[in-house]
Amino acid sequence: MSGSRALVAAVLCWAFAAAQAQGPSAGSGQAFPSKAVRIVVPFPPGGGADTLARIMEPRLVAIWGQAVIVENRPGASGHIGADFVAKSAPDGSTLLMSSTASLTEKNVDQFAPVSLVSASPYVVTASPKIAAAGIRELIALAKASPGKLSFASSGTGAASHLSGELFKSMAGIDLLHVPYKGTGQAVTDLLAGHVDLMFAPAQTVMPYVREGRLKALALTGSKRSETLPDLPTVAESGLPGYAAVGWFGVLAPAATPRATVAKASADVNRVLAEREVREKMLGLGADPSGDTPEEFARFIREDQAKWSKLMKEAGITAPQ
């Protein structure tokens, strides 16, 4: 080999070694996010997941320096949007703003948990026409007219549905379940008096409660909320032991690299810690959470176990 060829070969070898030392090339693994990020909300606009995603969107844009698009893909109690994300490229560019309804025992393994966003009690909300000022009166009313009172939900298998089913079971009453395609539609019919009750996210119903258009009877959590301190829990209002929490969180497709998931989680937690974001969420009755991917995965497993047991006992089949 001539001296010039040897020199060229040596330079090429050095360049290859340097590239390997620096890590993947730009085309094979750029730092997250390297392009616009889509946050899929598997419910119609106006619900809890949609509201929280849109509160977070401008702050994530500021942190990531990329466009963040909140996209509604409703249907089948959240499973259409969840399935879309599960099948998306596992590069962090498509995330899911999930809730209790979006995940089942069958599809939970298709996702990588990123971070819990909010885990808040629901508000037992009634139409003003219902002659009940609290839980004891509501239970007495339901027992006097079995099957006459109806409760709306954002879909079969949703937290708003399961919270009502747990209430029915523990109170020994019969309520008619009316599923909708999203929280927004359910609240609209509750406001119109077409349905009587709803176990609803605070951020979607409390503005109407404050206007006097709906009645808040109780919270479904195990303790009173700091944001709604005057509202008693279901447990202290006549149904001891009752507790149900609705949650929202961010997930990625299962094969998303751990480093990408960790970066997305850290950034979501950074947003949730910002005072302006916290004030907006708390003002809507949503308690900001935030945690690690591992903590969120454990939370999901425990939540799944509780609701799967109830669904089997009640013979509820979630949409696929």
Side-chain angles (χ1 to χ4, degrees), residues 243-258:
V245 174
W247 62 265
F248 301 98
V250 177
L251 297 100
T256 304
R258 291 181 65 182

Side-chain angles (χ1 to χ4, degrees), residues 68-164:
V68 176
I69 303 158
V70 177
E71 181 178 314
N72 299 90
R73 284 182 173 260
S77 294
H79 293 283
I80 289 177
D83 186 61
F84 173 82
V85 174
K87 295 175 180 176
S88 297
D91 58 4
S93 64
T94 304
L95 303 173
L96 178 70
M97 178 61 85
S98 184
S99 71
T100 306
S102 308
L103 300 183
T104 66
E105 288 180 305
K106 292 184 179 180
N107 75 358
V108 69
D109 292 335
Q110 295 178 306
F111 300 96
V114 173
S115 177
L116 184 67
V117 171
S118 176
S120 305
Y122 277 5
V123 178
V124 184
T125 313
S127 165
K129 69 177 184 179
I130 300 303
I135 294 301
R136 288 186 178 85
E137 292 177 347
L138 177 63
I139 292 174
L141 195 62
K143 286 184 175 180
S145 304
K148 298 293 185 181
L149 291 179
S150 60
F151 77 99
S153 81
S154 59
T156 301
S160 53
H161 173 207
L162 299 179
S163 298

Side-chain angles (χ1 to χ4, degrees), residues 167-193:
F167 183 80
K168 284 172 52 179
S169 175
M170 292 184 65
I173 58 176
D174 182 17
L175 301 175
L176 174 65
H177 173 227
V178 183
Y180 288 81
K181 292 183 179 180
T183 301
Q185 295 176 356
V187 173
T188 296
D189 267 14
L190 181 63
L191 286 165

